[in-house]
Amino acid sequence: AEQPQSAATTTADPRGDHKISKASPGTAPGTDPWIYKGKKDWKLEDYDVIVVGCGLSGAVIARRFAEEQKKKCLIIERRNHIGGNCYDYIDDETKILMNMYGAHLFHTNSKRVYEFITRFGKWARWEHEVVGLIDSQICPIPPNITTVNMLCGADIKTVEEMDEWLAKTQVKYEEIKNGEQMAKSRVGPVLYEKIFKHYTYKQWKKYPEDLDKSVLARIPCRNNFDTRYFGDKYQVLPKEGYTKFFEHLLDHQLLDVHLNTDFFKLKGNIPKGKLIIYTGPVDSYFADQGFESLEYRSINFHIERYQNYGFYQPNSVVNYPGKEVPFTRIVEYKHFLNQQTPHTVIVKETTTDKGDPYYPVLNERNMDLFKKYKKLSDEEKDVHFVGRLANYKYFNMDQAILNALEYFDEQFTSKKDLKKEEYTFVSDSV
């Protein structure tokens, strides 16, 4: 089919050519330090807790300090908005609600997490589906019976037949040593080549054989016709968007928020003994120690807008696992929550070594290096390192929230021996 004329523009900002409507909440008007919430005549001495980072980890812990212990908290955020990587906004041209840092689909099996988030806004059930363009066919991802039939020339009709096919095709290893072996032990060599091998390279700039086995340990493969991307009990999207959810979460008289504010410029002025919750990159905090930097993968977002075009693609997310194109996927945001507009906006995603840190690269070099940073963080007085960047881990949204809730339980309440919730983890990163 003939491609539509794109209104895409080239921009130096790797986050993309964002055109944020003035109606979008939670955003500073410029690049200067901005008090999003709080008094103009503020002093660091006035606060009981300093929280660095206004993403999920920082916002959840700050809310609990304010609400449960009546402690006054200052959240410092270097970006110009609240919400961390969950931040979304209204596109000024198309009026479509979209994420700045890639599509965010909330899913969890944790009742505690679900009950927590639903305190701060209304959520709509949304069972996310993903398809991939593979061998010129649109196939369900994660692979299910339909995917296997389409890509492997099979004629599987039942769960029992699929289990039998998987048992025959899965590669058996005495000891799984890397990501390639892990993937082949789960889906076999054919699906590994067609779906995971080159997609992994595009995402990590490393083939699975050069990644730790844990990176591909949780790739899902359905033994039925289920087309859902996740199997969690709770799968929802915030009806008003994630930024509105954060607005509600931060709506407490003891919570102040400063945007466009660099913690490291203020650090020397923080009174000694002040409690600090740090959710930023651990290697940035200890940059003066002379260690090498930890390795992350980041994402560049290539935005294209189409006027009076309807839908660009048949699904919200279409993955491109092959090496024919440089991008990993295309996201069309108007699909989410069935937004009604004649226009559309799509975002092509490519990954890079530069830019905001998204995914820790879990290989031997980085894991050994993180141990050095972990030792330093354990020894740092009055500073708690919380969240994915501070702990060099990839967290789903529900994991970030549960980790923050449980960390607060352990460190700041009398519930130190409270048993941690056990629930099934489902990976976002396929």
Side-chain angles (χ1 to χ4, degrees), residues 218-253:
R218 300 188 184 276
I219 58 170
C221 184
R222 309 271 190 246
N223 67 347
N224 51 32
F225 291 97
D226 190 353
T227 57
R228 296 177 304 162
Y229 196 70
F230 308 114
D232 300 65
K233 181 177 180 179
Y234 307 104
Q235 301 185 45
V236 289
L237 288 176
K239 284 188 175 182
E240 296 180 291
Y242 286 99
T243 306
K244 270 290 185 184
F245 159 73
F246 272 88
E247 274 201 332
H248 298 315
L249 179 60
L250 298 168
D251 185 16
H252 193 283
Q253 61 184 3

Side-chain angles (χ1 to χ4, degrees), residues 263-294:
F263 163 71
F264 295 106
K265 290 182 179 178
L266 292 179
K267 186 181 174 187
N269 298 323
I270 296 175
K272 208 167 185 179
K274 186 75 70 180
L275 179 60
I276 297 173
I277 307 295
Y278 179 82
T279 70
V282 65
D283 52 349
S284 295
Y285 188 93
F286 294 108
D288 60 351
Q289 296 296 308
F291 294 151
E292 293 179 310
S293 296
L294 291 164

Side-chain angles (χ1 to χ4, degrees), residues 349-364:
E349 297 182 6
T350 58
T351 60
T352 175
D353 291 327
K354 299 176 181 178
D356 289 331
Y358 286 83
Y359 306 107
V361 180
L362 300 179
N363 56 22
E364 189 175 351

